[in-house]
Amino acid sequence: NESFIKYYPNPATDFLHLENNSGEEINFAIYSITGQIISTTILSNQLNYRHDISALPKGFYLIVCESKSGKKFTERLVVN
């Protein structure tokens, strides 16, 4: 069961690389562990996307991606 989105590296420092394999628009968000939205963006059928995380303090975050068809992906991200 392959995910519709891939991201790397994890842990990350300056940039997060995303691969949108869904063929559709993806809502991408980074949340703090306490649930606060840190950043959001829309990946509109872009296969590869580079997201700047250099301003994030070191710590744990959640990546939440949701496709227009309702597929959802949640993973932990470590920034160091």
Side-chain angles (χ1 to χ4, degrees):
N1 187 16
E2 188 160 323
S3 175
F4 62 92
I5 193 157
K6 292 181 182 178
Y7 71 99
Y8 57 91
N10 191 16
T13 305
D14 296 320
F15 291 95
L16 190 62
H17 298 274
L18 305 158
E19 293 179 12
N20 179 358
N21 299 312
S22 70
E24 59 183 307
E25 186 175 277
I26 300 290
N27 292 318
F28 169 81
I30 297 177
Y31 289 84
S32 69
I33 289 296
T34 59
Q36 177 186 3
I37 295 175
I38 304 297
S39 78
T40 61
T41 193
I42 295 175
L43 309 179
S44 55
N45 295 335
Q46 289 178 265
L47 182 58
N48 295 301
Y49 181 78
R50 186 174 168 195
H51 191 75
D52 184 356
I53 59 167
S54 61
L56 292 181
K58 293 179 182 180
F60 296 99
Y61 297 87
L62 293 175
I63 292 175
V64 179
C65 300
E66 191 167 358
S67 70
K68 289 292 183 184
S69 63
K71 292 184 281 188
K72 196 165 185 178
F73 171 84
T74 304
E75 282 287 329
R76 188 174 73 166
L77 170 66
V78 178
V79 175
N80 59 0

